[in-house]
Amino acid sequence: MHASLSEMAQLTLNTSFDCSDILALRSKLKKAAADGLTAEQGFTLTETIPTINDILLYAVSRVLPHHPACNAHYDDEKMTYFAHVHLGVAIDTPRGLMVPTLFSADTRSLSDISRSVKELASACQKGTINPDWLKGGTFTVTNLGMLDVESFTPIINPPQTCVLGVNNITTRVRETEGEITTYPAMGLSLTFDHRAVDGAPAARFLKDLKLALENFSLLLMQ
């Protein structure tokens, strides 16, 4: 991490999105499970209800292919781009931070991502994770929202070019057609290596991710 900070030109952009849609989806899935809807009936997500982090990972995996510079490695000389999204998922363990890789996340369903992340996290917690699953990531997501963190500066895991920090949910106010309303907002913090990615492309990735998350129900239909 010290080498990452000393050798890269790291810059962090912060934004937030209206998470009403993903919260409503999780509530609907919980109600469906309580009503007895099962995978055998075609309701796969009711058996492994995705966490907010699972939903974030799914959205990231669908948006990243449109922003190849953010799904890349930079080795001081050249950029290496990847055909698939291999997501590093930061896991807090008794042994310290571990970052297992969810390979080809862009080809996985939401239920598969949810199940696989739980398996990877369990293996990290137990200390049984295969070392091969701790490398090969092309982009990392680290979530401190459950610890009530509103904003932070995640550090890039080299040779990746970006890392996304996920923050907590806060209530914000906005004006719509002259009416003041509140909404749940979740913060996102993107750190990128300015040697490999310019500010505008990084901002466009964040903007597209925000759009995908605010319309997550529609994203699932694609």
Side-chain angles (χ1 to χ4, degrees):
M1 293 296 98
H2 180 268
S4 172
L5 285 172
S6 62
E7 296 173 6
M8 291 185 180
Q10 297 194 26
L11 178 65
T12 302
L13 301 179
N14 297 289
T15 191
S16 65
F17 69 95
D18 182 345
C19 56
S20 298
D21 189 52
I22 64 175
L23 293 178
L25 175 63
R26 294 192 74 244
S27 294
K28 192 170 185 177
L29 287 172
K30 291 177 182 178
K31 184 179 184 303
D35 290 342
L37 300 182
T38 65
E40 287 73 17
Q41 297 170 304
F43 301 97
T44 308
L45 289 176
T46 59
E47 292 202 351
T48 305
I49 296 177
T51 65
I52 290 177
N53 201 57
D54 297 334
I55 289 171
L56 263 292
L57 293 172
Y58 181 90
V60 167
S61 74
R62 267 50 185 183
V63 174
L64 266 179
H66 303 290
H67 301 269
C70 296
N71 185 50
H73 286 177
Y74 181 66
D75 64 1
D76 298 328
E77 295 181 357
K78 68 179 186 302
M79 291 279 286
T80 301
Y81 300 96
F82 296 88
H84 292 288
V85 177
H86 309 306
L87 285 181
V89 184
I91 305 293
D92 182 29
T93 78
R95 300 168 184 79
L97 180 68
M98 301 184 77
V99 187
T101 304
L102 187 65
F103 290 98
S104 298
D106 55 306
T107 67
R108 297 173 181 250
S109 66
L110 178 56
S111 58
D112 185 14
I113 287 177
S114 181
R115 182 176 57 255
S116 297
V117 169
K118 288 178 176 63
E119 292 172 353
L120 289 171
S122 176
C124 286
Q125 295 287 348
K126 296 176 182 177
T128 59
I129 188 75
N130 187 323
D132 289 340
W133 294 93
L134 295 173
K135 56 187 179 182
T138 59
F139 185 97
T140 294
V141 176
T142 177
N143 191 336
L144 294 180
M146 72 289 292
L147 297 176
D148 208 28
V149 173
E150 293 185 5
S151 179
F152 68 108
T153 304
I155 300 174
I156 297 172
N157 185 13
Q160 296 173 27
T161 60
C162 297
V163 57
L164 180 71
V166 180
N167 306 304
N168 68 347
I169 298 175
T170 58
T171 299
R172 292 194 176 179
V173 176
R174 64 185 167 198
E175 180 181 350
T176 305
E177 298 181 352
E179 182 180 356
I180 301 298
T181 59
T182 62
Y183 69 98
M186 174 173 278
L188 300 173
S189 302
L190 178 73
T191 297
F192 62 98
D193 184 353
H194 215 316
R195 302 174 305 165
V197 186
D198 286 337
R204 281 193 285 269
F205 165 72
L206 263 186
K207 183 178 180 181
D208 286 352
L209 180 59
K210 172 179 177 175
L211 185 66
L213 288 165
E214 290 183 336
N215 298 276
F216 190 77
S217 297
L218 296 178
L219 183 67
L220 280 178
M221 296 179 183
Q222 298 182 1

